[in-house]
Amino acid sequence: MNIVLMEYYRELKGYTYEKLSELSGIPIETVQKIFKGEAFSLDCEALQALEKVLKPEHYGNEVRETGAYGVKKKDYTLEDYYALPEDQRVELIDGKFYEMKAPTTGHQAASMEISMQIFHYISRKKGQCRVLFAPVDVQLDCDDQTMVQPDVLIICDKDKIIRRCIMGAPDFIIEILSESTQKKDMYLKLHKYEAAGVREYWMVDTDRRKVIVYFFEKDAYPAIYGMKDKIPVEIFGGELEIDFALVEDTLTDIGQ
């Protein structure tokens, strides 16, 4: 885990250097030097201890689960998913339901701006890929125990697009983080997407004005960008760059 990523997770968890020192058992002086880049290559054990405290797995076990009609079962299936009332929005992941709250205006504005930039690029290039945005069902594993609704996705295999859903892994997914979905998006769905064969996964943190980019075909750890950056879409060889300054402008216009 690089320093930039460690700093992001430190900020996300609200940990001071003193708290990190307490949780990791690493002297405060060493913690401070690591985050200043002064001891990054000097103490592997200290780095590993800090990563253990900061790694996103710590966000994965607190996702709120809800059952259909308030009844909790051991494992739900697509039959249960399709039996839900139309106004009850959930995702089904590995046989468990996770409720989804209505997105904020900032969430929707960011999603629309990103989608439009992708759409214009594909249209200009007369490409075969398609960009879609939520709500759209994705039967990620092609089984009856997982159905997710990514915020933005790119699908390049038209055979995966059927009437009721996307059948299989999209090539590219973006999730706009929110307080209610952050834990799920940063751990549970991160690993689900990678395992299913999603090639590239972005998480947009509009609160902290950061974008976390995973290109699974190349790097184990993500790159982190700011909201003023132009970020290359690697599945298109970096030829498409999403201009997040325009996303930032959109958020500013609506006061977020």
Side-chain angles (χ1 to χ4, degrees):
M1 187 183 297
N2 60 39
I3 294 295
V4 175
L5 185 59
M6 290 172 66
E7 181 62 40
Y8 175 79
Y9 286 134
R10 184 183 76 84
E11 180 184 346
L12 192 64
K13 289 191 171 186
Y15 288 166
T16 62
Y17 293 142
E18 288 79 7
K19 185 66 174 179
L20 276 178
S21 175
E22 174 188 338
L23 293 173
S24 66
I26 305 303
I28 180 65
E29 296 82 5
T30 302
V31 172
Q32 291 173 331
K33 286 181 179 179
I34 287 173
F35 278 90
K36 290 178 181 178
E38 298 174 0
F40 188 76
S41 60
L42 299 180
D43 193 336
C44 291
E45 289 187 3
L47 288 172
Q48 290 171 356
L50 289 173
E51 286 183 7
K52 186 175 181 180
V53 172
L54 292 170
K55 63 182 180 179
E57 282 86 340
H58 285 243
Y59 292 89
N61 297 323
E62 302 174 12
V63 180
R64 187 177 171 188
E65 181 186 335
T66 183
Y69 308 106
V71 179
K72 187 173 180 180
K73 294 170 57 177
K74 182 178 180 181
D75 289 303
Y76 292 103
T77 67
L78 289 182
E79 183 179 357
D80 299 302
Y81 180 81
Y82 287 122
L84 290 170
E86 290 187 4
D87 61 351
Q88 186 171 359
R89 190 170 171 223
V90 303
E91 289 184 304
L92 175 66
I93 303 177
D94 294 332
K96 293 181 173 58
F97 279 135
Y98 296 93
E99 65 181 357
M100 301 176 69
K101 295 182 179 179
T104 64
T105 53
H107 181 289
Q108 290 296 81
S111 178
M112 180 62 71
E113 175 59 40
I114 293 166
S115 298
M116 290 304 297
Q117 290 191 42
I118 297 171
F119 172 80
H120 288 313
Y121 169 81
I122 294 173
S123 179
R124 188 171 67 252
K125 291 291 184 178
K126 295 181 170 53
Q128 297 301 306
C129 300
R130 293 289 180 266
V131 59
L132 300 170
F133 52 89
V136 59
D137 281 344
V138 176
Q139 197 168 338
L140 190 67
D141 298 324
C142 299
D143 63 11
D144 70 344
Q145 290 201 316
T146 295
M147 186 74 87
V148 295
Q149 292 189 3
D151 290 317
V152 180
L153 65 89
I154 299 172
I155 186 82
C156 297
D157 182 352
K158 290 185 178 180
D159 290 339
K160 293 182 178 180
I161 304 175
I162 62 175
R163 181 177 178 83
R164 66 179 175 83
C165 70
I166 303 300
M167 180 64 77
D171 296 85
F172 174 96
I173 285 177
I174 289 180
E175 297 285 8
I176 314 293
L177 302 183
S178 66
E179 185 176 350
S180 62
T181 66
Q182 174 180 287
K183 299 170 185 178
K184 178 177 61 175
D185 292 342
M186 295 192 72
Y187 175 67
L188 182 59
K189 291 175 82 172
L190 167 65
H191 292 288
K192 285 294 293 182
Y193 289 157
E194 182 178 15
V198 174
R199 299 170 60 196
E200 190 167 354
Y201 177 41
W202 295 14
M203 290 174 279
V204 180
D205 188 337
T206 56
D207 289 338
R208 295 168 183 81
R209 297 303 201 256
K210 300 290 185 183
V211 183
I212 303 99
V213 172
Y214 282 89
F215 185 45
F216 296 125
E217 295 180 355
K218 181 180 178 181
D219 298 313
Y221 290 114
I224 298 184
Y225 296 88
M227 235 17 154
K228 299 293 186 181
D229 293 330
K230 291 184 177 180
I231 305 177
V233 177
E234 295 296 342
I235 67 165
F236 294 138
E239 185 175 332
L240 167 61
E241 293 183 320
I242 304 299
D243 188 349
F244 270 85
L246 298 178
V247 179
E248 172 75 7
D249 290 344
T250 300
L251 292 171
T252 301
D253 286 343
I254 60 175
Q256 294 196 26

